[in-house]
Amino acid sequence: MLLGLIFMAATIISDASASEPMADAIQLDLQTAYTCKDIDGRKVWKGELAYYIQSYVYDGQHGDDATDMAADAVLPEDNTPETMREFEQACLTIAPSAANNN
Protein backbone atom coordinates (compact mmCIF):
# COMPACT_ATOMS: atom_id res chain seq x y z
CA MET A 1 0.00 0.00 0.00
CA LEU A 2 1.19 3.51 0.59
CA LEU A 3 3.96 2.80 3.05
CA GLY A 4 5.37 6.28 2.60
CA LEU A 5 2.35 7.76 4.35
CA ILE A 6 3.94 8.18 7.73
CA PHE A 7 3.56 11.85 8.46
CA MET A 8 0.69 12.56 10.82
CA ALA A 9 -0.68 15.70 12.37
CA ALA A 10 1.54 16.88 15.21
CA THR A 11 -1.42 17.17 17.52
CA ILE A 12 -1.96 13.42 17.45
CA ILE A 13 1.57 12.73 18.57
CA SER A 14 1.82 15.54 21.12
CA ASP A 15 -1.59 15.02 22.75
CA ALA A 16 -1.95 11.32 23.40
CA SER A 17 -4.92 11.36 25.76
CA ALA A 18 -6.77 8.13 26.48
CA SER A 19 -9.58 8.97 24.06
CA GLU A 20 -7.26 9.58 21.10
CA PRO A 21 -5.50 6.83 19.15
CA MET A 22 -1.77 6.54 19.63
CA ALA A 23 0.61 7.27 16.76
CA ASP A 24 1.38 3.57 16.19
CA ALA A 25 -2.31 2.73 15.96
CA ILE A 26 -2.84 5.58 13.51
CA GLN A 27 0.05 4.34 11.35
CA LEU A 28 -1.35 0.80 11.27
CA ASP A 29 -4.80 2.14 10.48
CA LEU A 30 -3.44 4.21 7.61
CA GLN A 31 -1.73 1.17 6.12
CA THR A 32 -5.08 -0.64 5.86
CA ALA A 33 -7.21 2.39 4.91
CA TYR A 34 -9.08 2.39 1.62
CA THR A 35 -9.04 5.06 -1.05
CA CYS A 36 -11.84 7.63 -1.29
CA LYS A 37 -12.55 10.48 -3.67
CA ASP A 38 -10.08 13.35 -3.67
CA ILE A 39 -10.88 16.53 -1.75
CA ASP A 40 -9.57 19.72 -3.34
CA GLY A 41 -7.12 17.70 -5.44
CA ARG A 42 -5.68 15.87 -2.42
CA LYS A 43 -5.93 12.08 -2.01
CA VAL A 44 -8.17 10.83 0.81
CA TRP A 45 -8.32 7.49 2.64
CA LYS A 46 -10.66 6.05 5.28
CA GLY A 47 -9.46 3.82 8.06
CA GLU A 48 -11.16 2.38 11.12
CA LEU A 49 -9.82 5.11 13.43
CA ALA A 50 -9.64 8.17 11.20
CA TYR A 51 -9.79 9.66 7.75
CA TYR A 52 -6.48 10.61 6.13
CA ILE A 53 -5.70 13.32 3.62
CA GLN A 54 -2.62 13.89 1.51
CA SER A 55 -0.47 16.61 3.04
CA TYR A 56 0.02 19.82 1.13
CA VAL A 57 3.04 19.90 -1.15
CA TYR A 58 4.91 23.18 -0.84
CA ASP A 59 7.24 24.89 -3.31
CA GLY A 60 10.39 22.87 -3.85
CA GLN A 61 8.85 19.63 -2.54
CA HIS A 62 7.94 16.62 -4.62
CA GLY A 63 4.67 14.82 -3.93
CA ASP A 64 4.12 12.80 -7.08
CA ASP A 65 5.67 9.57 -5.83
CA ALA A 66 3.09 7.45 -3.98
CA THR A 67 5.83 5.83 -1.89
CA ASP A 68 7.05 9.24 -0.69
CA MET A 69 3.72 10.87 0.07
CA ALA A 70 2.76 12.31 3.43
CA ALA A 71 -0.71 12.28 4.94
CA ASP A 72 -2.45 13.90 7.88
CA ALA A 73 -4.91 12.11 10.15
CA VAL A 74 -8.36 13.71 10.35
CA LEU A 75 -9.98 12.85 13.68
CA PRO A 76 -13.56 13.78 14.60
CA GLU A 77 -12.42 15.22 17.94
CA ASP A 78 -10.16 17.71 16.17
CA ASN A 79 -12.51 18.87 13.41
CA THR A 80 -15.89 20.50 12.92
CA PRO A 81 -18.97 18.45 12.01
CA GLU A 82 -18.93 20.21 8.61
CA THR A 83 -15.37 19.02 7.92
CA MET A 84 -16.23 15.48 8.95
CA ARG A 85 -19.29 15.49 6.64
CA GLU A 86 -17.01 16.43 3.75
CA PHE A 87 -14.81 13.40 4.45
CA GLU A 88 -17.85 11.14 4.91
CA GLN A 89 -19.18 12.26 1.53
CA ALA A 90 -15.82 11.64 -0.14
CA CYS A 91 -15.85 8.05 1.14
CA LEU A 92 -19.58 7.38 0.94
CA THR A 93 -19.73 5.77 -2.49
CA ILE A 94 -16.43 3.92 -2.28
CA ALA A 95 -16.35 0.73 -0.23
CA PRO A 96 -13.28 -1.40 0.58
CA SER A 97 -14.49 -4.13 -1.79
CA ALA A 98 -14.61 -1.60 -4.64
CA ALA A 99 -11.19 -0.16 -3.86
CA ASN A 100 -8.88 -3.12 -4.25
CA ASN A 101 -6.02 -0.89 -5.41
CA ASN A 102 -5.45 1.28 -2.35
Side-chain angles (χ1 to χ4, degrees):
M1 193 175 112
L2 301 168
L3 297 177
L5 297 173
I6 58 173
F7 180 77
M8 291 169 277
T11 56
I12 294 170
I13 296 169
S14 65
D15 182 23
S17 66
S19 65
E20 291 185 41
M22 300 299 283
D24 290 341
I26 293 287
Q27 179 61 39
L28 289 172
D29 188 46
L30 176 58
Q31 291 176 354
T32 59
Y34 65 88
T35 305
C36 300
K37 292 181 182 178
D38 291 359
I39 295 177
D40 296 331
R42 297 165 64 194
K43 296 181 186 317
V44 174
W45 300 268
K46 183 180 187 318
E48 292 291 320
L49 301 175
Y51 292 93
Y52 303 91
I53 189 163
Q54 179 183 9
S55 297
Y56 281 110
V57 177
Y58 298 99
D59 291 338
Q61 292 179 324
H62 300 284
D64 298 333
D65 184 0
T67 62
D68 191 30
M69 189 184 311
D72 298 306
V74 180
L75 298 167
E77 308 84 48
D78 297 335
N79 291 280
T80 65
E82 180 180 316
T83 297
M84 296 313 299
R85 278 192 297 277
E86 186 174 5
F87 279 88
E88 290 168 4
Q89 288 297 315
C91 297
L92 186 63
T93 59
I94 300 178
S97 60
N100 292 331
N101 298 353
N102 298 13

